[in-house]
Amino acid sequence: MTDMLRAPAEVKYADELDWLESIDDGPKPFSWRLSPKMVRLFVLGSERADGLDREVSQKWFGDRSFVERSIVTLASDRGLLLIGDPGTGKSWLAELLAAAISRNSTLVVQGTAGTTEDHIKYSWNVSMVIAKGQSRASMIPSPIMTAMERGVIGRFEELTRSTSDVQDALISILSEKYVSIPELDDDNIVFAQPGFSIIATANSRDRGVNDLSSALKRRFNFVRIPVVTNKRSEAEIVRFRTTELLRRHQIELDVPPNLLDILLQSFADLRTAAASATSDDEKLESALSTAEQIGVLEDAILHSTFFGDRTLRAQTLAGSLVGSLARRTPEDLAILNKYWHGVVEPRSKQDGGDWPAFLEGGREAIATLS
């Protein structure tokens, strides 16, 4: 296999998926590669009670009921909409589900203000149209149309970022399960094959950008993914992603548990401060998501590897946190400075350990950026 910067889930976990498929004797809806129970097991990992000959790693950390409801929805004729704050793992869950069900998670449309109806239906190869005219051969199917033809899962990221015209076109696909091609006289309808469905994601913070119509909402089952607030669960997610990072970069570096605790506590403190803020100016622009914690730790690890002594230290972690979260100047720096003086400084005196070094590293980073 050619090296990839980021392999899709069906490639990354191909061996595991092959093994699950070989032992799966459960009923499979439509053209699914795995039964619903095995899809759940692939996403959430195996337990001793499952009695399997090998361990299946946990890949998504969240409530079991969210995964089960998502799987049940995809086994019906309704679309699945995963909605929640940024960084809650919606896209990763969508990718895992598509990989387990269809062994293809790459049929994706990215919703933006520039997304057009062509992106979810079809477009044309202009040179072929000029040479031979419009035909199925000169048509370029969208990822969604390809998913329809193959009877697999298509994905639509950031649905609320797309315009109402695009959303209206999606209503037709979800309702009628076919796409008409009026430019052709023959073979001018593409019907969805059994197994086709759409997993869409939407950020709850995007409310008001392009609100979903009631008609489109009726075509989806909503699964709301909450922000992870349980420290133990969040620590598991950060460890899982960090282990992947170290393996990908072939880095041998230990993440001290006490520094992971400091990172988790800092984000918890900043979330509490954001919740009690009375205006947006008193909140960091960052969503303070688990994904951003992983980004802070990744930055600190790479900095320690390339410019340090290959040891993760509190000063480096503090500098990465400040550098990652200070997006607005001077507003975010003022908020972080207040946190460092009002929370980190007293905690460093009271708890000791790595907190004094974390305090010093944060102060230096804030002074540098001010």
Side-chain angles (χ1 to χ4, degrees):
M1 182 187 69
T2 305
D3 287 340
M4 302 179 190
L5 182 61
R6 182 192 179 280
E10 63 271 16
V11 174
K12 185 175 184 179
Y13 301 109
D15 180 62
E16 196 172 89
L17 286 167
D18 287 340
W19 181 76
L20 288 172
E21 198 168 336
S22 71
I23 65 167
D24 189 5
D25 58 1
K28 303 177 183 68
F30 311 117
S31 58
W32 286 29
R33 299 287 295 270
L34 292 176
S35 65
K37 283 188 177 181
M38 284 298 184
V39 174
R40 182 185 65 186
L41 193 147
F42 172 71
V43 175
L44 296 177
S46 59
E47 299 175 351
R48 185 172 298 177
D50 293 319
L52 299 178
D53 294 334
R54 61 178 279 182
E55 181 183 4
V56 177
S57 61
Q58 184 174 2
K59 303 163 193 68
W60 189 80
F61 297 82
D63 194 294
R64 184 189 193 96
S65 65
F66 299 146
V67 176
E68 291 179 349
R69 177 167 165 75
S70 299
I71 295 170
V72 169
T73 294
L74 294 172
S76 71
D77 62 349
R78 296 174 65 81
L80 170 65
L81 179 61
L82 303 174
I83 188 168
D85 282 355
T88 49
K90 303 181 297 297
S91 296
W92 179 231
L93 177 56
E95 181 177 339
L96 290 171
L97 290 170
I101 293 170
S102 305
R103 292 298 287 264
N104 188 348
S105 64
T106 61
L107 298 173
V108 186
V109 173
Q110 182 66 48
T112 68
T115 303
T116 66
E117 192 173 331
D118 292 350
H119 291 117
I120 63 170
K121 288 188 174 181
Y122 58 88
S123 56
W124 298 97
N125 183 321
V126 177
S127 60
M128 288 186 66
V129 170
I130 293 173
K132 299 181 179 180
Q134 290 178 320
S135 66
R136 288 296 293 271
S138 61
M139 190 178 73
I140 304 172
S142 71
I144 298 297
M145 180 178 279
T146 300
M148 295 175 69
E149 291 180 301
R150 296 180 184 175
V152 297
I153 302 296
R155 295 169 52 205
F156 198 120
E157 290 289 309
E158 308 288 359
L159 181 57
T160 50
R161 291 279 175 182
S162 57
T163 62
S164 57
D165 290 345
V166 174
Q167 293 183 20
D168 288 345
L170 199 58
I171 292 174
S172 174
I173 292 174
L174 289 169
S175 300
E176 308 301 334
K177 301 295 192 295
Y178 67 79
V179 173
S180 297
I181 310 169
E183 294 91 340
L184 301 181
D185 294 327
D186 300 312
D187 195 16
N188 58 2
I189 298 179
V190 173
F191 291 96
Q193 298 302 302
F196 166 71
S197 191
I198 292 176
I199 305 176
T201 64
N203 284 330
S204 51
R205 292 196 176 203
D206 286 343
R207 188 171 296 167
V209 176
N210 288 298
D211 287 334
L212 303 182
S213 66
S214 58
L216 186 54
K217 287 178 180 178
R218 288 197 302 271
R219 271 68 179 183
F220 281 108
N221 272 353
F222 283 55
V223 174
R224 296 188 177 275
I225 309 296
V227 173
V228 178
T229 55
N230 180 282
K231 280 191 178 181
R232 181 178 176 182
S233 297
E234 196 162 41
E236 288 177 341
I237 296 171
V238 175
R239 285 194 197 97
F240 174 74
R241 289 296 195 182
T242 303
T243 300
E244 286 190 328
L245 163 74
L246 295 173
R247 188 184 302 119
R248 186 168 73 243
H249 289 281
Q250 298 181 333
I251 294 173
E252 294 183 7
L253 183 149
D254 292 327
V255 178
N258 53 327
L259 290 186
L260 182 57
D261 289 341
I262 287 176
L263 177 65
L264 293 169
Q265 186 60 57
S266 298
F267 267 71
D269 293 338
L270 290 166
R271 286 171 186 157
T272 300
S276 61
T278 56
S279 69
D280 288 341
D281 288 341
E282 297 175 356
K283 298 179 184 179
L284 289 170
E285 189 175 67
S286 163
L288 298 171
S289 66
T290 304
E292 286 170 313
Q293 284 191 66
I294 295 165
V296 169
L297 189 56
E298 178 180 3
D299 181 88
I301 287 172
L302 294 177
H303 195 280
S304 300
T305 300
F306 299 139
F307 302 111
D309 57 0
R310 295 180 177 272
T311 300
L312 183 61
R313 303 187 186 280
Q315 295 97 319
T316 307
L317 183 65
S320 295
L321 190 148
V322 171
S324 298
L325 300 186
R327 300 173 183 175
R328 299 175 301 174
T329 304
E331 294 90 348
D332 285 350
L333 281 176
I335 294 168
L336 289 169
N337 189 51
K338 180 180 177 181
Y339 168 67
W340 241 259
H341 283 287
V343 179
V344 178
E345 185 173 348
R347 188 170 283 143
S348 68
K349 293 177 181 177
Q350 179 180 339
D351 299 342
D354 284 303
W355 280 102
F358 186 74
L359 171 67
E360 187 60 30
R363 282 175 170 170
E364 291 176 0
I366 292 170
T368 300
L369 294 174
S370 297

